[in-house]
Amino acid sequence: SITIGTLGGIECILSAMDIYSTNYDIQRYGLEALVNLIFDVDNVEKMRALLWVSVQRIVRAMALDETDQEIQTHGGELLLMLEDDSESDDEEEEEEEAKQ
Protein backbone atom coordinates (compact mmCIF):
# COMPACT_ATOMS: atom_id res chain seq x y z
CA SER A 1 0.00 0.00 0.00
CA ILE A 2 1.08 3.57 -0.62
CA THR A 3 1.83 5.58 2.49
CA ILE A 4 2.65 9.18 3.26
CA GLY A 5 6.25 8.12 3.79
CA THR A 6 6.62 6.59 0.33
CA LEU A 7 5.11 9.66 -1.32
CA GLY A 8 7.61 12.11 0.16
CA GLY A 9 5.37 13.26 2.99
CA ILE A 10 8.08 13.05 5.65
CA GLU A 11 10.38 15.25 3.61
CA CYS A 12 7.49 17.66 2.97
CA ILE A 13 6.76 17.99 6.70
CA LEU A 14 10.43 18.57 7.51
CA SER A 15 10.70 21.12 4.71
CA ALA A 16 7.67 23.04 5.97
CA MET A 17 9.12 23.01 9.47
CA ASP A 18 12.34 24.45 8.06
CA ILE A 19 10.68 27.12 5.91
CA TYR A 20 8.28 28.21 8.65
CA SER A 21 10.67 27.73 11.56
CA THR A 22 9.05 30.43 13.68
CA ASN A 23 5.43 29.43 13.00
CA TYR A 24 4.17 27.79 16.16
CA ASP A 25 1.34 25.83 14.51
CA ILE A 26 3.55 24.42 11.74
CA GLN A 27 6.10 23.29 14.32
CA ARG A 28 3.53 21.79 16.68
CA TYR A 29 1.55 19.92 14.06
CA GLY A 30 4.69 18.96 12.16
CA LEU A 31 6.10 17.25 15.26
CA GLU A 32 2.76 15.57 15.89
CA ALA A 33 2.59 14.28 12.32
CA LEU A 34 6.15 12.94 12.50
CA VAL A 35 5.39 11.12 15.75
CA ASN A 36 2.33 9.54 14.14
CA LEU A 37 4.40 8.43 11.15
CA ILE A 38 6.90 6.65 13.40
CA PHE A 39 4.33 3.98 14.13
CA ASP A 40 3.96 2.98 10.48
CA VAL A 41 6.51 0.20 10.04
CA ASP A 42 7.05 1.22 6.42
CA ASN A 43 8.40 4.57 7.62
CA VAL A 44 10.70 3.56 10.47
CA GLU A 45 14.03 3.38 8.62
CA LYS A 46 13.30 6.44 6.51
CA MET A 47 12.24 8.39 9.60
CA ARG A 48 15.43 7.48 11.44
CA ALA A 49 17.62 8.53 8.54
CA LEU A 50 15.78 11.82 8.02
CA LEU A 51 15.51 12.64 11.70
CA TRP A 52 19.24 12.20 12.27
CA VAL A 53 19.81 15.14 9.95
CA SER A 54 16.82 16.95 11.44
CA VAL A 55 17.73 17.01 15.13
CA GLN A 56 18.30 20.75 14.87
CA ARG A 57 14.77 21.23 13.47
CA ILE A 58 13.27 19.22 16.32
CA VAL A 59 15.17 21.15 18.98
CA ARG A 60 14.31 24.48 17.33
CA ALA A 61 10.62 23.54 17.30
CA MET A 62 10.80 22.57 20.97
CA ALA A 63 12.46 25.89 21.82
CA LEU A 64 9.55 27.89 20.33
CA ASP A 65 7.46 27.25 23.40
CA GLU A 66 9.14 25.40 26.22
CA THR A 67 5.90 25.42 28.21
CA ASP A 68 3.78 23.72 25.53
CA GLN A 69 3.29 20.15 26.68
CA GLU A 70 2.43 18.80 23.22
CA ILE A 71 5.48 20.28 21.50
CA GLN A 72 7.76 19.05 24.26
CA THR A 73 6.21 15.58 24.29
CA HIS A 74 6.29 15.09 20.52
CA GLY A 75 9.79 16.49 20.18
CA GLY A 76 10.96 14.33 23.06
CA GLU A 77 9.45 11.21 21.50
CA LEU A 78 11.29 11.86 18.26
CA LEU A 79 14.59 12.44 20.06
CA LEU A 80 14.08 9.29 22.15
CA MET A 81 13.56 7.30 18.97
CA LEU A 82 16.93 8.51 17.77
CA GLU A 83 18.53 7.71 21.12
CA ASP A 84 17.11 4.18 20.98
CA ASP A 85 18.50 3.81 17.46
CA SER A 86 21.91 5.04 18.61
CA GLU A 87 21.96 2.55 21.50
CA SER A 88 21.06 -0.28 19.08
CA ASP A 89 23.99 0.70 16.86
CA ASP A 90 26.34 0.74 19.87
CA GLU A 91 25.18 -2.73 20.92
CA GLU A 92 25.70 -4.08 17.41
CA GLU A 93 29.24 -2.64 17.34
CA GLU A 94 30.03 -4.21 20.72
CA GLU A 95 28.75 -7.59 19.50
CA GLU A 96 30.93 -7.34 16.38
CA GLU A 97 34.00 -6.46 18.46
CA ALA A 98 33.32 -9.39 20.82
CA LYS A 99 33.23 -11.78 17.86
CA GLN A 100 36.70 -10.65 16.73
Side-chain angles (χ1 to χ4, degrees):
S1 72
I2 297 175
T3 65
I4 291 171
T6 60
L7 295 174
I10 297 167
E11 295 90 336
C12 185
I13 293 167
L14 292 170
S15 179
M17 290 177 71
D18 210 22
I19 293 168
Y20 301 102
S21 62
T22 59
N23 184 301
Y24 171 81
D25 287 331
I26 297 289
Q27 301 306 305
R28 178 178 175 213
Y29 293 115
L31 289 175
E32 183 177 353
L34 291 171
V35 167
N36 288 328
L37 289 169
I38 289 173
F39 298 106
D40 183 341
V41 293
D42 294 333
N43 295 325
V44 173
E45 291 306 315
K46 188 173 196 176
M47 288 284 292
R48 284 188 174 135
L50 289 170
L51 290 177
W52 269 116
V53 298
S54 301
V55 170
Q56 187 176 26
R57 288 180 184 134
I58 297 167
V59 172
R60 184 177 56 218
M62 293 173 73
L64 271 179
D65 188 347
E66 295 176 1
T67 63
D68 185 288
Q69 189 67 34
E70 286 190 48
I71 283 184
Q72 299 307 311
T73 299
H74 295 318
E77 288 174 342
L78 293 168
L79 294 174
L80 280 174
M81 185 187 98
L82 294 176
E83 181 181 21
D84 289 344
D85 188 42
S86 175
E87 288 174 4
S88 296
D89 290 346
D90 291 344
E91 289 172 8
E92 289 174 14
E93 288 175 16
E94 288 173 10
E95 288 175 10
E96 286 297 317
E97 289 176 5
K99 290 179 184 177
Q100 296 174 0

